[in-house]
């Protein structure tokens, strides 16, 4: 039986909260290096996130959506992809995107308000989607095109629990089912859509069970257990790529998790949620969980952990320095990417802005 | 004389909602994060505590659902005041707004009407992420059956909001978030209305008329002040974009013979074009110069590293005014 055949009202788990392997669970078949890489990437994501929030507080970055608490879901799922596969993110998948090749400075640049942060030329990553759930039909459409072209790419599409209320979620999954697309629909159920709790988003017992309505399998996984996420995501990717008799290729995964911080740096969660709720979820923290697992196997010791911590801090510091060293985008760039060929009207507007800048100087113009 | 409070624009929104919730039991306020959280801009702060979950409530994250159910409630006789968290996220509801809210009266030969006030913060300049800065008032003014209101001061905000909620037809109420907290004004405690469809002359002048609304009203006034002594600028805040106060526009233009339209929205297909065309139709004989438009560019609203270049501000508006006068 595939792990994807688990009842969508039950939760797949591999690592218990204390880092031990749950009885009867099989640990996914990864090398020790890959386990360490999983651990390291989660630590990197956590540190990056903390630094990004602090940059925003210092006015060095714009509004930023934090991911702390969601590392396992992001890293575990993205590690299930091959290079040829595609990642279709919402706005919170900084860690998943990193795993799939996006640099940290690329992510920083976007949240620093520079459009070039969305330039992902050599990566199979779609630009950040801010309008909720709008990326879900895109993922289905990418899959339809892959079917048409007979490739074996897989498309992993991320969205939140709130997104499952939008029509686009329904339409995307429905197309995925009808056209049997190689798509993994991955819901990061972090319990809240800004201030609205999961229970007020849908009356379904689980989000995973919504899959039944689209004719595909749905599976709920402990989203703070990186091994369980990896296992479920790998099975879904495999089925999307190779198909199985009597099964649709797309899968809906609901990864149950929690965001520790605010929805974005513009939000104040103390208005709508209790601190002890956060503390309860911290007991499930994926990073110590994975660390314990690896220490128990003898793969990690104090020294190795210290090395990893240091390398993670260095990598993030270097990315921030690079991101802050980029020159401001030019005003020309505002006009250059609207159409393949700039219209006469836009050319005139671009010249007008140049004229304004030279007549007034940026200081006066931007006061 | 009634008491007043010194309020910001967003506080005036809240005060206006509170007044109407008290006044009329059929008024309900709902949307994403409007309940316990009090709205992401705090426009509904405290209303959930005061009026309870039946009158002020959070919905699932589904704009089409929010507006669609508001239409159903309104047809049943209620006065729903749904919120779109940002105007840039109203598009999933666009079908409901234009296909149904705007047309239910027509389609049912006035058996049903949609007395809904759809609030949405619009506009740029607050360093917000992508899709949080657009000014798409032209979409809604293009749609017959809708009214479109854009206040620019706290006092007007409360009165226009009350008038919108009491209006028997659907109103798209666009709130200039750039000036949500930019300044305060004395606002009466009691409820009152500011009639829809009436522009307001913010500054009298005889050389040139500036027509503007919402967040662009302040930089337009600033430009007028900067030119004072040199050019005598009249500034008219249109306040309601549909129905538009054409009489005030034409009258002012007949006095000055020159017009500058200032809007944050892209130039092409923006309301500036509509105003210029109407002026031509109704006052060609008075025209001393072509109508000048000072607007956003025909590009998607940029991420914030470039947003200050996108938005018209005083210096750019002054240039526009000079251009009209020196023609
Ligand atoms: C169509 C649309 N409506 C509203 C918003 C404003 N908004 C941004 S994030 C958010 C909550 C999203 O919650 P969820 O889908 O659970 O994802 P999470 O942010 O928790 O990861 C809202 C309402 C938006 N971005 N797009």
């Amino acid at each position: 039986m595939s792990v994807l055949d688990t009842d969508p009202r039950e939760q797949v788990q591999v690592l218990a909260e204390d880092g031990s392997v749950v009885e009867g669970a099989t640990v996914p078949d990864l090398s020790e290096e890959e386990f360490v890489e999983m651990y390291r990437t989660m630590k990197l994501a956590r540190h990056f996130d903390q630094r990004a929030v602090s940059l925003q507080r210092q006015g060095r970055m714009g509004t930023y959506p934090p991911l702390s608490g969601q590392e396992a879901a992001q890293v575990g799922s993205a590690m299930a992809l091959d290079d040829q596969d595609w990642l279709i993110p919402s706005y919170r998948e900084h860690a998943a995107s990193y795993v799939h090749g996006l640099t940290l400075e690329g992510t920083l640049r976007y949240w620093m308000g520079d459009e070039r942060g969305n330039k992902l030329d050599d990566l199979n990553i779609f630009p950040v989607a801010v309008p909720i759930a709008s990326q879900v039909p895109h993922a289905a459409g990418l899959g339809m095109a892959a079917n048409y072209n007979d490739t074996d790419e897989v498309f992993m599409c991320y969205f939140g629990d709130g997104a499952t209320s939008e029509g686009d979620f329904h339409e995307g999954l429905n197309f995925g089912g009808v056209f049997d697309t190689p798509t993994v629909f991955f819901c990061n159920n972090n319990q809240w859509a800004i201030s609205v709790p999961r229970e007020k988003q849908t009356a379904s017992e689980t989000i995973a069970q919504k899959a039944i309505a689209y004719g595909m399998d749905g599976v709920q996984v402990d989203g703070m257990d990186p091994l369980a996420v990896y296992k479920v995501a790998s099975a879904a990717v495999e089925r999307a790529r190779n198909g199985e008799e009597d099964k649709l290729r797309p899968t809906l995964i609901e990864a149950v998790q929690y965001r520790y911080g605010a929805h974005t740096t513009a939000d104040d969660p103390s208005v709508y949620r209790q601190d002890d709720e956060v503390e309860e979820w911290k007991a499930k923290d994926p990073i110590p969980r994975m660390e314990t697992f690896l220490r128990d196997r003898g793969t990690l010791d104090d020294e190795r952990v210290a090395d990893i911590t240091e390398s993670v801090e260095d990598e993030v510091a270097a990315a921030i320095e690079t991101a802050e060293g980029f020159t401001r985008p030019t005003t020309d760039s505002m006009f250059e990417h609207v159409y393949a060929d700039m219209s006469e009207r836009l050319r005139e507007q671009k010249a007008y802005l140049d004229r304004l800048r030279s007549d007034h100087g940026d200081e006066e113009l931007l006061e | 004389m009634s008491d007043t409070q010194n309020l910001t624009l967003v506080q005036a929104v809240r005060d206006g909602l509170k007044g109407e919730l008290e006044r009329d039991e059929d008024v309900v306020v709902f949307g994403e994060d409007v309940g316990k959280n009090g709205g992401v801009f705090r426009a509904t702060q405290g209303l959930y505590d005061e009026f309870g979950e039946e009158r002020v409530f959070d919905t699932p994250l589904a704009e089409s659902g929010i507006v669609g159910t508001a239409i159903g409630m309104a047809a049943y006789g209620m006065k729903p005041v749904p919120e779109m968290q940002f105007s840039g996220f109203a598009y999933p509801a666009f079908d409901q707004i234009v296909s149904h809210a705007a047309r239910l009266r027509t389609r049912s030969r006035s058996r049903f009407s949609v007395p809904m006030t759809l609030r949405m913060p619009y506009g740029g300049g607050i360093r917000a992420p992508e899709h949080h800065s657009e000014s798409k008032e032209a979409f809604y003014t293009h749609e017959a059956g809708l009214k479109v209101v854009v206040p620019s001061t706290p006092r007007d905000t409360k009165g226009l909001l009350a008038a919108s909620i009491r209006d028997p037809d659907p109103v798209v109420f666009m709130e200039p978030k750039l000036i949500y907290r930019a300044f305060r004004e004395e606002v009466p405690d009691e409820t009152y209305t500011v009639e829809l469809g009436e522009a307001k002359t913010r500054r009298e002048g005889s050389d040139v008329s500036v027509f503007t609304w919402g967040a662009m009203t302040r930089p337009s006034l600033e430009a007028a002040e900067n030119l004072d002594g040199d050019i005598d600028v009249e500034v008219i805040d249109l306040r309601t974009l549909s129905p538009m106060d054409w009489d005030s526009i034409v009258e002012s233009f007949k006095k000055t013979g020159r017009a500058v339209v200032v809007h944050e929205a892209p130039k092409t297909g923006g309301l500036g074009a509509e105003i210029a065309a109407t002026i031509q139709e109704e006052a060609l004989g008075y025209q001393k110069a072509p109508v000048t438009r000072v607007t956003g560019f025909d590009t998607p609203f940029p991420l914030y590293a470039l947003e200050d270049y996108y938005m018209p501000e005083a210096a750019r508006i002054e240039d526009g005014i000079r251009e009209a006068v020196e023609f």
Side-chain angles (χ1 to χ4, degrees), chain A residues 91-92 130 132 160-163 190 192-193 263, chain B residues 32 63 85 89:
Chain A
Y91 42 80
R92 208 185 290 284
V130 172
I132 301 299
D161 40 302
N190 64 8
W192 293 90
H263 163 74
Chain B
E32 295 158 10
E63 290 75 14
Q85 198 157 79
F89 302 129

Side-chain angles (χ1 to χ4, degrees), chain A residues 65-196:
Chain A
L67 64 79
S68 288
Q70 305 188 217
E71 295 86 349
Q74 294 202 18
V75 175
S77 59
M79 276 181 74
L81 297 175
D82 282 349
D83 287 348
Q84 60 171 347
D85 297 330
W86 282 78
L87 193 149
I88 296 96
S90 79
Y91 42 80
R92 208 185 290 284
E93 274 75 43
H94 324 310
S97 302
Y98 173 85
V99 172
H100 211 51
L102 180 62
T103 59
L104 297 179
E105 51 266 29
T107 296
L108 287 170
R109 196 175 209 183
Y110 177 77
W111 295 103
M112 286 174 169
D114 183 343
E115 217 88 50
R116 291 169 299 179
N118 251 338
K119 195 166 158 55
L120 312 168
D121 288 350
D122 301 320
L123 299 171
N124 289 350
I125 302 179
F126 228 51
V128 164
V130 172
I132 301 299
S134 53
Q135 70 277 26
V136 181
H138 305 162
L142 287 160
M144 289 162 75
N147 281 348
Y148 181 77
N149 286 288
D150 211 11
T151 70
D152 54 9
E153 296 158 6
V154 172
F155 302 85
M156 173 90 73
C157 178
Y158 295 93
F159 48 89
D161 40 302
T164 66
S165 296
E166 292 278 10
D168 272 354
F169 164 81
H170 163 73
E171 297 180 31
L173 267 80
N174 199 41
F175 272 66
V178 167
F179 293 99
D180 194 23
T181 60
T183 323
V184 182
F185 297 104
F186 194 99
C187 179
N188 281 308
N189 171 6
N190 64 8
Q191 310 309 319
W192 293 90
I194 310 189
S195 72
V196 180

Side-chain angles (χ1 to χ4, degrees), chain A residues 161 164 187 189 198 202 204-211 252 254:
Chain A
D161 40 302
T164 66
C187 179
N189 171 6
R198 147 71 183 83
T202 171
S204 291
E205 189 183 329
T206 67
I207 287 170
Q209 76 191 43
K210 288 176 187 274
L252 171 62
E254 175 191 6

Side-chain angles (χ1 to χ4, degrees), chain A residues 291-364:
Chain A
E291 188 173 315
T292 306
F293 168 74
L294 291 173
R295 280 179 186 267
D296 288 352
R297 289 163 79 91
T299 308
L300 284 184
D301 54 20
D302 288 352
E303 199 184 334
R304 200 77 213 271
V305 169
D307 284 351
I308 290 172
T309 307
E310 196 184 308
S311 82
V312 155
E313 287 171 3
D314 291 348
E315 187 175 336
V316 172
I320 293 171
E321 198 176 313
T322 309
E324 293 196 314
F326 288 130
T327 50
R328 199 196 228 306
T330 63
T331 53
D332 286 359
S333 71
M334 199 157 98
F335 302 92
E336 275 160 3
H337 301 283
V338 186
Y339 300 101
D341 297 311
M342 202 185 297
S343 68
E344 196 44 45
R345 203 57 190 300
L346 275 187
R347 234 180 274 285
E348 283 165 21
Q349 293 189 0
K350 177 163 131 349
Y352 161 66
L353 181 55
D354 287 342
R355 204 161 63 241
L356 277 173
R357 292 182 67 191
S358 78
D359 287 357
H360 294 279
D362 280 349
E363 219 147 287
E364 185 191 332

